[in-house]
Amino acid sequence: KNEVEQSPQNLTAQEGEFITINCSYSVGISALHWLQQHPGGGIVSLFMLSSGKKKHGRLIATINIQEKHSSLHITASHPRDSAVYICAVRSRNNDMRFGAGTRLTVKP
Amino acid sequence: EAGVAQSPRYKIIEKRQSVAFWCNPISGHATLYWYQQILGQGPKLLIQFQNNGVVDDSQLPKDRFSAERLKGVDSTLKIQPAKLEDSAVYLCASSLGGKLFFGSGTQLSVL
């Protein structure tokens, strides 16, 4: 079993829909990252969380430390949001473990 | 602010050949990571440096992979000899205050 599990693996949505991507992890962590990877491989860090909730524009990330679960929400989705979204955790040993990613396609 | 620079962007080699990748992290970032990302999978950590010291290389296949960061700034990752299963994107990232910054990666194809 992977230490970081994401769901769904693939997600197709219509423009304007509300999107949720989930991440569950099995190790103790000091921080959780949500990353966005566009075709061509470039990765951008969206959020770094250790508790609670963060919001940036149309993106919202939440984390529940007790349940070892985080969600990434996209409101009013747009085709330019199409990308792979990766959940990564920094363990208490300071090493990073990554989920396999969720491929999001937003259709106009 | 300049980002994490990697080169080359693409590399195609035959199996059993050698290859080297270069990374220049963001100025002032003490922590540098090399990741391997096979198509359809999340990145896998190969090695983590803190300045010029190795923090974690537990997942680095040391029989063929090596990495160095001699002056605590630039880093090189080498594969010698390459195998077909090494075909992947090799990502370099640097970190400050826990926030990660990734380079564009080097896409390696081993034929």
Side-chain angles (χ1 to χ4, degrees), chain A residues 9 31 33 35 37 39-48 84 86 88 90 93-101 103, chain B residues 9-10 33 35 37 40-45 48 50 55-56 58-59 89 91 95 97-104:
Chain A
Q9 190 173 7
H33 298 257
L35 310 170
Q37 185 171 32
I43 295 180
V44 173
S45 178
L46 298 175
F47 294 104
M48 183 177 72
V84 175
I86 300 172
R90 182 184 302 280
N93 295 330
N94 208 35
D95 56 3
M96 295 287 296
R97 295 291 182 258
F98 291 79
R103 184 174 299 276
Chain B
R9 186 74 179 91
Y10 302 95
Y33 308 84
Y35 295 96
Q37 187 175 23
Q41 300 180 16
K44 182 185 88 170
L45 178 68
Q48 177 183 345
Q50 184 73 18
V55 173
D56 181 357
S58 57
Q59 298 187 85
V89 174
L91 293 161
S95 173
K99 190 172 168 68
L100 286 170
F101 298 84
F102 283 84
S104 299

Side-chain angles (χ1 to χ4, degrees), chain A residues 51-69:
Chain A
S51 65
K53 175 180 173 178
K54 286 189 177 181
K55 185 176 189 292
H56 182 67
R58 295 181 294 105
L59 302 179
I60 303 166
T62 63
I63 187 168
N64 185 317
I65 297 294
Q66 287 73 32
E67 294 185 3
K68 295 188 174 179
H69 180 269

Side-chain angles (χ1 to χ4, degrees), chain B residues 73-98:
Chain B
V73 181
D74 292 9
S75 177
T76 55
L77 175 70
K78 296 179 182 177
I79 307 175
Q80 181 179 7
K83 293 185 175 181
L84 296 175
E85 58 261 35
D86 298 332
S87 295
V89 174
Y90 291 84
L91 293 161
C92 178
S94 66
S95 173
L96 184 67

Side-chain angles (χ1 to χ4, degrees), chain B residues 15-41:
Chain B
K15 60 183 180 183
R16 291 188 288 273
Q17 285 188 315
S18 301
V19 64
F21 313 124
W22 173 83
C23 174
N24 186 0
I26 294 173
S27 178
H29 286 198
T31 308
L32 184 148
Y33 308 84
W34 281 103
Y35 295 96
Q36 180 194 59
Q37 187 175 23
I38 292 170
L39 187 66
Q41 300 180 16

Side-chain angles (χ1 to χ4, degrees), chain A residues 20-23 32 34 47 49 60-64 69-73:
Chain A
T20 296
I21 300 170
N22 296 299
C23 174
L32 181 144
W34 280 103
F47 294 104
L49 294 163
I60 303 166
T62 63
I63 187 168
N64 185 317
H69 180 269
S70 176
S71 293
L72 176 69
H73 306 286

Side-chain angles (χ1 to χ4, degrees), chain B residues 64-78:
Chain B
R64 297 183 301 106
F65 286 64
S66 64
E68 59 183 15
R69 194 185 183 199
L70 291 175
K71 296 181 180 178
V73 181
D74 292 9
S75 177
T76 55
L77 175 70
K78 296 179 182 177

